[in-house]
Amino acid sequence: MTDAAMHEDSAHRWQAIGALLFGACVIGFSGILMRLTGTGPAAAGFWRLAFALPLLAVMTRRASGPLGRPTPIALLAGLLFALDLGFWHYGLKYTSVGASTVLSNLAPVVVTAFAWIFLKQRPRALFLIAMGVAVGGAWMMGAGRGAGTPVLNAPLGNLLSIATAFWYALYFLALAQGRKTQAASRLMFWSGVVGAPLLLAAALLMGERILPATAAGLAACAGLGLVHVAGQGSIAWAMGRLPTSLASVVVLVQPVVATYAGFLLFGEALGPLQTAGAAVALGGVVLAQWAARPRPQAAA
């Protein structure tokens, strides 16, 4: 590879990392907007996708022509994303924005564990230690409670948020697979077409409030749609240009943004145990990804 080609490849890599950082920061505000919609948790997820779909349709047609038909991986991604949003939004209902976002971002550990169990990619011993650290941090997040943090049922909310990490990890893997053959906007459009009715059905079954009661709530629903297109769209775009393991680490900026925003808007200050737990959990996730990095090939 020539120096010019190497420089171009490095520039594309940093562009993708920049897109990931931007997307993660934007998505960090989705929990705040969900709280402001005034609807039920699953209903907020429905509005997020419903407002995003027209924008995604326009983007897809301009970028790559007709919408075409959904592929199996797009349908699977839609199902997984609906489960991800449903579990996460209910976690947000019962616990703090910061705790829910940190716990749901244990997904990188799940991604690597999935590769070990199903793809027979055995991790190093250091990964197992890192997983223990991440789980220990998650327990600290669940056991502690910040002063002045209004929560309905922290243990239930934390459990739902941890379950979210499982669905988010599978969605991440499906997204990475889909980006090998599809444009980001088309993949997101068809996954939204699948996810929106599933979330609406869940909201109706749970007896949730579907329509926002105020203009501010409607604006928050529209904001969720914009956040989805800008944030998740940037992440999906970058997924076609970066390894999945690296991408899953970079998006860990999301809980930092969410925790800070929750503190500013809702007074959700983390207590000492939760603060330490957040650092330990995220540190364990980062260490797990470092331990799971590809081994260098022996020189010929």
Side-chain angles (χ1 to χ4, degrees):
M1 180 180 292
T2 65
D3 290 344
M6 291 179 62
H7 178 75
E8 183 178 359
D9 183 67
S10 177
H12 289 165
R13 181 184 180 87
W14 281 109
Q15 287 176 0
I17 291 177
L20 268 178
L21 286 171
F22 171 77
C25 288
V26 172
I27 291 293
F29 288 95
S30 58
I32 301 297
L33 290 170
M34 178 267 165
R35 286 274 188 90
L36 298 176
T37 60
T39 68
F46 162 74
W47 287 116
R48 169 174 171 165
L49 296 180
F51 275 102
L53 281 174
L55 296 175
L56 290 171
V58 172
M59 291 171 59
T60 302
R61 292 183 67 87
R62 287 186 175 180
S64 52
L67 297 175
R69 295 182 178 180
T71 60
I73 197 67
L75 298 177
L76 177 61
L79 172 62
L80 294 172
F81 194 61
L83 289 167
D84 168 45
L85 283 183
F87 274 75
W88 183 41
H89 283 186
Y90 266 97
L92 285 166
K93 177 180 179 180
Y94 291 110
T95 192
S96 68
V97 172
S100 178
T101 309
V102 169
L103 294 174
S104 64
N105 273 272
L106 291 173
V109 173
V110 180
V111 169
T112 308
F114 183 92
W116 180 19
I117 296 171
F118 295 101
L119 303 180
K120 309 303 180 182
Q121 298 176 2
R122 184 179 180 84
R124 305 173 190 179
L126 182 59
F127 169 79
L128 300 179
I129 297 174
M131 178 178 286
V133 171
V135 172
W139 177 85
M140 293 168 66
M141 286 288 298
R145 178 176 175 179
T149 301
V151 295
L152 296 178
N153 188 331
L156 176 59
N158 293 336
L159 180 62
L160 290 170
S161 300
I162 292 174
T164 301
F166 174 76
W167 300 119
Y168 188 48
L170 294 184
Y171 168 71
F172 220 77
L173 291 168
L175 192 66
Q177 184 66 28
R179 283 292 287 118
K180 293 179 180 179
T181 57
Q182 300 176 63
S185 58
R186 175 174 281 111
L187 183 61
M188 288 185 61
F189 172 79
W190 284 114
S191 64
V193 168
V194 173
L198 291 176
L199 287 165
L200 179 58
L204 292 172
L205 287 174
M206 297 296 290
E208 295 180 8
R209 173 187 287 274
I210 305 298
L211 298 176
T214 65
L218 182 61
C221 290
L224 278 174
L226 293 175
V227 161
H228 182 73
V229 173
Q232 203 66 42
S234 297
I235 293 173
W237 179 85
M239 287 296 296
R241 293 162 171 79
L242 291 172
T244 305
S245 58
L246 175 60
S248 62
V249 173
V250 174
V251 298
L252 290 176
V253 71
Q254 178 185 343
V256 177
V257 174
T259 301
Y260 186 64
F263 167 70
L264 290 178
L265 297 177
F266 300 128
E268 293 183 347
L270 295 177
L273 185 60
Q274 281 187 305
T275 301
V280 171
L282 294 180
V285 169
V286 173
L287 181 61
Q289 292 303 306
W290 184 82
R293 72 194 188 282
R295 293 175 172 83
Q297 299 294 325

